[in-house]
Amino acid sequence: MSDKSAAEAPKVGTEITAKNAKLGMPPVPAATGRDRGTGPYRRLVLRGATVIDGTGAPPWGPADIVVEGDRITAITPVGTPGKPINPSRRPPAGDHEIDCHGKFVTPGLIDCHTHIGVPYHALHGDVAPADYVYKLWLAHGVTTVREMGCFSGLDWVVEQREASAANRIAAPRILAHPYFPAVNDMLKTIHTPEEARDWLRRAKDAGADGVKFFGAPPAIMRAALEECGRLGLRSGCHHAQQAVTRMNALTTAQWGLTSAEHYYGLPEALYDDRVVQNYPPGYNYNDEYFRFSSAGQTFLQAAEPGSAKWNEVLEKFLEIGFTFVPTMTIYDANRDLMRFRRADWHDDFTWPSMWRYFQPARGGHGAYWYRWSVTNEVEWKAHYRLWMQFLNAYKNRGGRVCTGSDSGFIFQIFGYGFIRELELLQEAGFNALEVLRSASILGAELLGIDGETGSIEVGKLADLLVLDENPLEDWKLLYGTGALRLNDETGQAEWRRALRHTIRAGLVFDVEELLADIRAMVAAQKEREAAAP
C-alpha cells in the first residue's frame, strides 16, 4: 500500500463505519453527559436484603451489604427470616442507605452480544442516540455489555467505554469488539494472514477488548484466531452462511474462537449426511426472506438429539471449554410474528426510526416479513426445539451458555430483548438459578472480568440490582413495562414491576427515573417528526 493510500485508509476498527457513513448511515449520536445516577458513595449500605449471588447458590438472608466507593466491602448476615433483626449485629451506618427488607439483591446482568444503537436506522429517520440505548439497558438491570461489531467505530466505542468508566455518562460497563473486515458480502479489506495479524495488533493498540468475526477464508481465520490468542483478545463469531461451509463452529472453536454467536455454525457441525445445507430452489442470500426462512431449516437437517454424531460434537465442544451466546431472543419473532409486532412496550419505548426499520422491506436487514408464512413459523418453532435441546444438554454437562440480545433488529428493542432471553433460557430447560448464572457469573467468565464482577462477593465491583420481588419467580417482572397482574384486593388489573435500583460500580440509578426519561425521549421524537414539514 502506498503512503498516500495508507493515509486515506480508515483507522482500524472504523472500516465499516466509513462505508456506512457514505451510504447515509453515520455513527449513532454519542452520550456526552450524565443526568442520572447518584454516588458512588463513601459508604453505601443495603439493609436487610435477600441475596441471590449469581453463582447458582440459592437465595439467603437477610443480609446487609456494604459498598465503599465502587466495591463491595462487607456482606453481613443479620438475622433469620421471620424473626426481628438484632441491631447490634448490623454494620455501622452509611452516608447513604437503601432499605432492602423484603427485597432481593442480585448481581448486575451481563449482555454478551449488543450494539450501541444501529446506524442502519438512519435510513428511516433520526437514529436513536446512545443515551436512549444505555438507559434502556440500565432500566433492565444490564450493567455490562459486549459491543459486537463497533459499527459506530472502534474509536467511538472506546471513548464511550472510558466515559462510562469515569461516570461521565449514564451507561453500563462497555467492552469493545470491532468487526473483522474479511467477508465479501459486508466489507473485505483483509486478504492475507499477515494482513489479519497486523490488523489485530493495531486493533489491540487502539483499545479493542476482542474481535467480532463473521468468517473469513480459512487460512486468514486460523491466523487471526491464533493472533487473538497471542494478544489476549477474546473473539466471537457469527458464522455467516457465506463462510460456514469452509469452517463451522466446531472448526473455529478448535482454532481458538472464544464464543459462537447466535446458532450459525452449530447445526453445520452436526450434519451427518451432508456438508452443505440443502438450500431451496431460487435461494439468494441477499434476499432476506430466503436468508432467514432457510436459516430456520438448519437444525432440521442436522443429526438428531442423542444420536452418536450429536453426542460426539457436544463432547468435542465440552473438551475445548467453548462458550455459546445463543441470542435466541433476536429470532423469536420468526416463531410468532404477530406477538412481537404487538409487544406491550412498542408504543412508549420504541424509537420511531427503529420501528420503521422493522417493517417489511426488501433490502433491509431483518425486514423479511413481506412473505413470512405459517410454514416459516412452524419450521422455526421446530428449529428452536432442537437448538434448545442442544443448549440445555451442553449446560447440563458443564458447558458455558451466556446471555446476549443483539437488540435493535427484528422487533427486539434494547433491554426488553435481554429480559426475553432469560425467558427463553428457561424455556430451553434451564431452571431460574441457572438462567441467572448464565446472565451474571458465566458472562463475566466469558469476558474475562469474573474477578471484578458477575457475582456478589466482597472485593468485587458493586454491580447490583435491588428488586421488590423475587426475580426467580417470574422474569416478566423485570420488563420495564412490568407484567399485567390482577390485584385481588382491588379487583383491578395492574402492571407490576420488580426492579427498583440498578447499581453499576457503586453508581445508583433509580429505574423509575430511567424509564420516565426514555418515554419522554420517544414522545419528544414523535412530536418533532409530527411537526416536521
Side-chain angles (χ1 to χ4, degrees):
M1 181 181 293
S2 68
D3 291 341
K4 181 179 179 181
S5 58
E8 292 173 349
K11 291 184 291 185
V12 66
T14 68
E15 297 89 350
I16 200 162
T17 313
K19 174 189 174 184
N20 287 341
K22 291 178 180 178
L23 298 174
M25 298 176 286
V28 169
T32 58
R34 178 168 66 84
D35 60 353
R36 294 297 181 193
T38 60
Y41 296 95
R42 182 186 61 80
R43 182 180 173 85
L44 167 68
V45 183
L46 279 60
R47 297 285 188 187
T50 298
V51 177
I52 313 173
D53 69 12
T55 67
W60 69 278
D64 287 357
I65 302 170
V66 179
V67 175
E68 295 180 355
D70 62 356
R71 298 206 174 254
I72 300 169
T73 58
I75 305 169
T76 304
V78 295
T80 301
K83 295 182 66 176
I85 295 174
N86 183 343
S88 67
R89 300 181 61 177
R90 314 197 83 158
D95 55 330
H96 187 77
E97 299 198 358
I98 299 176
D99 183 0
C100 295
H101 296 88
K103 300 182 189 295
F104 296 79
V105 174
T106 75
L109 306 176
I110 298 175
D111 192 333
C112 296
H113 192 118
T114 69
H115 304 288
I116 305 173
V118 180
Y120 304 156
H121 296 171
L123 299 177
H124 298 271
D126 293 339
V127 70
D131 276 326
Y132 163 84
V133 181
Y134 296 146
K135 287 185 175 182
L136 275 169
W137 280 329
L138 291 169
H140 288 87
V142 175
T143 55
T144 299
V145 297
R146 180 172 63 151
E147 218 298 348
M148 294 298 280
C150 298
F151 295 130
S152 288
L154 173 59
D155 53 352
W156 186 100
V157 176
V158 167
E159 187 280 327
Q160 294 284 278
R161 181 185 68 193
E162 301 310 312
S164 175
N167 293 333
R168 294 195 302 271
I169 60 175
R173 179 176 302 101
I174 299 167
L175 288 92
H177 283 50
Y179 164 63
F180 183 76
V183 291
N184 289 323
D185 61 296
M186 290 186 66
L187 178 68
K188 185 171 183 176
T189 64
I190 294 171
H191 300 276
T192 68
E194 187 47 48
E195 287 178 355
R197 296 187 188 97
D198 176 68
W199 187 93
L200 290 162
R201 289 191 289 266
R202 290 186 291 119
K204 173 76 172 180
D205 290 343
D209 298 295
V211 184
K212 167 72 176 293
F213 292 92
F214 283 85
I220 293 175
M221 189 73 174
R222 187 164 193 169
L225 291 172
E226 289 172 353
E227 189 68 14
C228 282
R230 192 185 72 78
L231 295 170
L233 290 170
R234 282 170 161 74
S235 54
C237 185
H238 169 153
H239 293 78
Q241 286 98 322
Q242 296 296 84
V244 74
T245 56
R246 303 175 77 180
M247 65 199 96
N248 59 45
L250 182 57
T251 311
T252 53
Q254 292 167 331
W255 290 348
L257 182 69
T258 310
S259 64
E261 311 300 303
H262 317 306
Y263 62 89
Y264 306 108
L266 174 55
E268 289 83 357
L270 292 165
Y271 287 164
D272 59 356
D273 62 352
R274 70 199 67 204
V275 174
V276 178
Q277 177 183 350
N278 185 20
Y279 290 102
Y283 179 91
N284 187 318
Y285 178 74
N286 281 9
D287 184 315
E288 291 278 300
Y289 170 76
F290 275 114
R291 174 180 173 180
F292 283 95
S293 62
S294 297
Q297 300 167 356
T298 51
F299 274 108
L300 304 180
Q301 299 179 25
E304 293 184 1
S307 66
K309 176 71 172 183
W310 194 85
N311 280 308
E312 174 193 345
V313 169
L314 191 151
E315 291 297 332
K316 285 181 178 178
F317 278 119
L318 288 169
E319 289 169 10
I320 295 166
F322 195 61
T323 300
F324 291 99
V325 182
T327 72
M328 290 179 283
T329 178
I330 198 57
Y331 306 111
D332 207 11
N334 294 349
R335 300 194 295 171
D336 189 350
L337 173 58
M338 187 183 296
R339 169 182 179 165
F340 290 95
R341 286 186 64 250
R342 303 304 305 156
D344 293 328
W345 41 86
H346 285 316
D347 288 346
D348 290 339
F349 291 99
T350 300
W351 194 262
S353 64
M354 180 160 56
W355 177 252
R356 290 189 288 269
Y357 177 81
F358 291 157
Q359 305 311 311
R362 291 190 178 274
H365 178 49
Y368 41 83
W369 313 112
Y370 40 86
R371 55 183 293 193
W372 206 249
S373 68
V374 172
T375 298
N376 297 137
E377 292 190 354
V378 168
E379 288 179 345
W380 270 90
K381 287 173 182 176
H383 175 90
Y384 265 70
R385 285 193 293 271
L386 295 167
W387 185 12
M388 288 174 165
Q389 281 183 265
F390 188 94
L391 293 172
N392 195 46
Y394 193 68
K395 174 264 298 179
N396 288 341
R397 299 191 199 186
R400 185 188 294 130
V401 178
C402 297
T403 48
S405 66
D406 196 22
S407 295
F409 305 92
I410 315 178
F411 292 104
Q412 295 291 357
I413 73 169
F414 310 99
Y416 286 93
F418 182 82
I419 301 306
R420 178 59 182 162
E421 187 73 359
L422 307 185
E423 292 188 80
L424 289 167
L425 285 175
Q426 186 169 337
E427 181 184 338
F430 291 50
N431 66 43
L433 282 169
E434 290 171 339
V435 172
L436 181 61
R437 183 169 167 263
S438 288
S440 52
I441 190 62
L442 295 189
E445 290 175 4
L446 168 64
L447 304 183
I449 57 174
D450 50 305
E452 291 284 281
T453 190
S455 58
I456 301 177
E457 299 182 61
V458 170
K460 287 194 173 185
L461 290 166
D463 292 343
L464 303 167
L465 307 183
V466 178
L467 302 110
D468 291 340
E469 301 186 50
N470 188 348
L472 303 178
E473 294 182 3
D474 190 355
W475 301 117
K476 293 183 186 301
L477 297 177
L478 271 65
Y479 284 122
T481 50
L484 189 62
R485 296 289 183 266
L486 179 66
N487 184 326
D488 284 321
E489 292 184 3
T490 65
Q492 300 297 312
E494 61 186 23
W495 291 92
R496 278 173 42 201
R497 182 173 54 78
L499 184 58
R500 187 61 49 198
H501 297 288
T502 296
I503 305 173
R504 197 269 296 145
L507 191 64
V508 181
F509 294 95
D510 183 299
V511 169
E512 188 59 49
E513 291 179 348
L514 295 170
L515 292 169
D517 288 348
I518 300 158
R519 283 192 294 266
M521 292 169 73
V522 171
Q525 177 62 19
K526 289 179 178 178
E527 289 177 6
R528 283 191 293 271
E529 292 186 0

